[in-house]
Structures are given as C-alpha cells and as structure tokens.
Amino acid sequence: MLSDDLKTLLDQALGEIGTADTEALEALRVSLLGKSGSVTMLLKSLGGMDPEARKAAGAGINLLKTQITDAISARRATLDEAALTTRLAAERIDVTQPPRPEPLGAIHPISRTVEEIAAIFGAMGFAIKDGPDIENDWNNFSALNIPSHHPARAMMDTFYLTGGEVLRTHTSPVQVRTMLSEPPPIRIIVPGRTFRADHDATHSPMFHQCEGLVIEEGITLGHLKGCLSDFLSAFFGVPNLPVRLRTSYFPFTEPSMEVDIGWNKKTGEIGGGTDWLEIGGSGMVHPNVLANCGIDPRRYQGFAFGVGLERITMLKHGINDLRLFYESDVRWLRHYGFSPLSPATLHEGI
Ligand code: PHE
C-alpha cells in the first residue's frame, strides 16, 4: 500500500512518463531514479529510520520504484516502436508497383549485325579493331595504293576537312593502322562508320562497313573464299550459301574481286534462285600496301574484304529503304530491333 504522498508522487510521475518523448523520458528517469533522483532519495532515507518504520515505508517506496521503472520501460518500448514504424514507412520500397511504363529499349539492327559478325569471326580467331572517323589522307588513300591523281578517289567522293583530313570513305585505313602497329600474323575485322557524298534510297552519306584483314605466311585466295563462304553461310543461316567471287578492281588488292551471293531476286530468298547479288569487295592485299606498311611482301601474303553492313542487314531482315536506319523512329525500331537480353551467339544459330 502506498501512502498518500507516495501515491501523489506516483500519479504525477506516471502522468508525465505517459506523455514524454524520448528526451523527456530520459530526463524523468534521471530526476526520479538517478543518483539524486527523488525515488532514490526516498530509498536512501530508509537508512535513517528505525526498523519498524523502515519496514512500513520500505515496501511502499520499493513498490513505487518498481512501478516507475516499469512505466519508464513500457514508455520507452512504445516510443522505440513508434520510431521504427515511422522509419519503416519512410524507407518503404513498394515492390508491388508496376514497372515503369516506358517500353524496353531495343538493339538497332546495325548494332545487332555487328554483334553477329563479331561472334562469327571471333570463332575463327579474328580480333576486332576500330579507328577514327576522321582520317588523314595517307591512311585513307595513299598507303592503300591510291595516289592523289588516281580516279579511285573520285569513286569514293567524300567530305574533306579544312586541315586536309577526310571523313574516312571505307574501313580500310584501319588495315594500315594495324599493320603499322603490330607484326603478322594478323587476323582482324573492323566494323565501323564510313562516309561518302551520296544520298538516295540505297546510299547514305554515313553508312557502315566491316573490313576483314588476314596477313600470314602462305595465305591464298582459297583461304579468302573459304573464310567469306563460312561467314556468309553463318550470317544468313543458309548452309552452303552460293558465294561467287567476280573479277574487279581495287587499287589496294591484286587480284581484286566483288563478292556476290546467290539469291532469288523476285522473292528475296537468300541462297535460292539463280540470281547474284553483290555484297562487298575483296582481294589479295597488294604488295605495295604491305610494303607501305612495313611488311615484307615476299614473306607475307594476305587477303582483305569489305562488306556493307546496311546492305547485308537489309537483305537478312527484309528492310527495303536504307534511310529508315537513321530516322530514329521508335515504332520502326520496336519492329526491327532486337532484345538486349538475347545476345548474338553462334550456338544459338546467330
Ligand atoms: N574498301 C573497299 C570499298 O570500300 C572494299 C574492299 C575492302 C575491297 C577490302 C577489297 C578489300 O569499296
């Protein structure tokens, strides 16, 4: 039983504890139960009492202490729980939210073609190289056996920059850069942007090529044809795709050949029919080019080829206007684009 005094003290303490915040609660604890807190002082006062009085008062004061201690822990638990609830609400992540309304992006068909080419040639041991869009005249023309008076420069009419550089007309300057920077054997492909002053349904001032270059001892035209046939069969998914090498001229190769594939002009079917379609140029690297790049043509031979990436992408996917590649029309991209989640691999058949 509590005396009236203790009861008053208890009621007042419980009232204050019940509404205290964390800081106030700590202050109350100190003022009630701390070293010189009021309850502590009461407990201390027991020492000066005679045994009878101590017994009578002690029970009440201890009861008071227990009740206050319990009330403080209860209040503290309530405050802690409220703080946790507030924090959880603030840091909440709503996993039931629907995904962002924007549709997934898609891989552009030209990028996809580059990935596929990389996978096919990667399996044949080729490395991928790139070079700058802005080239010097020597890398783009002279080193490739195209002197300044040569009519081949007119065939590749390009954009000249004020410093005398050009926007590269083909990926072939990367052949030069590679031969100058590493010794044979060389096996590289060079996918990249190229530029010519042309614009219609099948020509764009900016387009893409993929160059190939192999320099090793004992390389022959047979290797060239085998390599291109394997690549084109894998790329178009047509086993034994007919490939024809047709005599042509490039200043940087000798002999030079256009690369044609068999198709059906009427239906567009690749590998069927009796028609031929040109998809690139090729040849055995001209001895002058090897010599210009510091490679002994008596010891090393090589082949090179270049294919137009828009052309083979259009053929593979039935796209009939080259300009659509560059219009950034999202509807077109959604139709012709590829999922970023299904990368090009040979074992999946490209
Ligand atoms: N560079 C040539 C072109 O753009 C293509 C080619 C590359 C031909 C390599 C032969 C060897 O027309």
Side-chain angles (χ1 to χ4, degrees), residues 157-226:
D157 195 14
T158 185
F159 302 89
Y160 289 84
L161 287 107
T162 42
E165 300 103 335
V166 296
L167 291 185
R168 66 177 182 187
T169 58
H170 48 181
T171 41
S172 306
V174 185
Q175 291 189 21
V176 178
R177 288 176 174 272
T178 306
M179 288 190 276
L180 285 174
S181 63
E182 56 194 70
I186 291 171
R187 278 189 206 187
I188 57 159
I189 54 162
V190 185
R193 268 184 299 272
T194 46
F195 307 83
R196 292 186 200 177
D198 265 339
H199 203 196
D200 60 34
T202 53
H203 295 90
S204 147
M206 191 281 299
F207 59 105
H208 297 79
Q209 286 191 338
C210 183
E211 192 86 9
L213 175 71
V214 170
I215 308 281
E216 285 173 35
E217 281 180 76
I219 290 292
T220 70
L221 216 149
H223 295 116
L224 164 59
K225 183 158 187 185

Side-chain angles (χ1 to χ4, degrees), residues 262-299:
W263 78 319
N264 183 330
K265 205 172 178 173
K266 276 209 197 82
T267 62
E269 189 201 340
I270 307 289
T274 52
D275 304 308
W276 293 100
L277 183 71
E278 181 192 321
I279 54 117
S282 69
M284 301 305 291
V285 180
H286 196 292
N288 289 354
V289 175
L290 293 173
N292 286 342
C293 298
I295 292 177
D296 182 355
R298 285 164 302 186
R299 175 163 175 209

